[in-house]
Amino acid sequence: MAETTDKTLRDVPIGQTATVRRLAGEGALKRHIMDMGITKGVDVYVRKVAPLGDPIEVTVRGYELSLRKSEAACVLVD
């Protein structure tokens, strides 16, 4: 089955929590996301989204973090 139904952090509604399944980025982008504490198995709570949709504010490992939509699209969640 093709992975067209993959849900990303970008798709999670405000006020919902999602568990990171894997990271889709490569190289520096993937490393950057991991350095922010977003790794496989961690829960990410979507706090709010800017009026134009970018950036997205999330809570991960007890702290607030802002992600660009392009970064959030690389985080596959359940």
Side-chain angles (χ1 to χ4, degrees):
M1 180 179 195
E3 294 189 25
T4 55
T5 59
D6 281 346
K7 184 176 177 184
T8 67
L9 188 55
R10 189 174 170 175
D11 303 321
V12 178
I14 297 169
Q16 298 280 326
T17 300
T19 303
V20 177
R21 194 165 41 117
R22 70 182 178 90
L23 300 177
E26 290 187 13
L29 177 61
K30 186 173 182 177
R31 181 83 245 162
H32 177 64
I33 292 169
M34 291 174 71
D35 287 345
M36 290 188 285
I38 300 174
T39 55
K40 184 177 177 180
V42 74
D43 288 334
V44 180
Y45 173 74
V46 178
R47 292 177 42 105
K48 52 187 165 180
V49 178
L52 297 176
D54 204 6
I56 299 167
E57 187 174 307
V58 299
T59 301
V60 60
R61 299 183 189 265
Y63 64 93
E64 282 76 41
L65 180 66
S66 291
L67 293 172
R68 294 184 194 111
K69 282 196 294 189
S70 59
E71 294 169 337
C74 294
V75 181
L76 296 149
V77 298
D78 287 329

